[in-house]
Amino acid sequence: ELRVIEERAPKAYAGLHVVAFKDSLNLGRLADAHEVLTDLHGCASSAHRRVDKEAEAIYRERRADCFNTLVSVLHARGGVAQLAKLRFDGELRSELFLALRRHAPASDVHG
C-alpha cells in the first residue's frame, strides 16, 4: 500500500511525487501538478501528526521545490496567470506567495 511507503520511505515517496509533478507540468497538465502539490501537503501533515519530523521536513522541502519550479516554468511560458484557476488555501497559499516572491527578484517584475 502507498501509505506504508509514505511512512517508511518518505524520500522515495516524495521522489515519486516530484517525478509526477514534473511530468504533469511538462505535459501542460496544471491541474494534475496541483494535485501532486496538494498530496505532498497531505503527506507533510500526516508526518506532522505522527511526529515524524524527518519525514515532514522531506515532504515540505519537496513541496517547496515543486512550488518554485511551478512559478519558474509558468513565468518562462508567460502563464503565471494560470495560477488563478487553481485553488490554494491556507499553508499552500502562503507557500505559493513565497515562491512568487522568491522568483520576483530573478525576473523582470521587481523594481
Side-chain angles (χ1 to χ4, degrees), residues 14-108:
L16 290 172
H17 280 76
V18 170
V19 170
F21 175 82
K22 287 180 179 179
D23 287 348
S24 297
L25 204 53
N26 287 333
L27 293 171
R29 298 178 62 106
L30 197 54
D32 291 342
H34 176 266
E35 188 175 325
V36 172
L37 285 168
T38 301
D39 196 50
L40 279 170
H41 177 68
C43 292
S45 296
S46 177
H48 179 79
R49 285 189 300 277
R50 293 191 316 272
V51 192
D52 186 344
K53 294 195 182 294
E54 182 179 341
E56 182 181 4
I58 289 167
Y59 290 123
R60 288 182 183 278
E61 184 177 314
R62 292 291 86 74
R63 189 180 70 206
D65 292 345
C66 288
F67 265 113
N68 290 332
T69 300
L70 175 68
V71 170
S72 181
V73 167
L74 289 180
H75 180 264
R77 295 178 183 170
V80 174
Q82 292 180 43
L83 291 171
K85 297 176 185 176
L86 302 172
R87 184 178 174 142
F88 293 100
D89 294 323
E91 189 177 342
L92 291 177
R93 184 182 195 113
S94 297
E95 192 152 0
L96 174 61
F97 180 72
L98 288 174
L100 288 165
R101 286 189 60 202
R102 280 191 295 267
H103 184 74
S107 71
D108 56 354

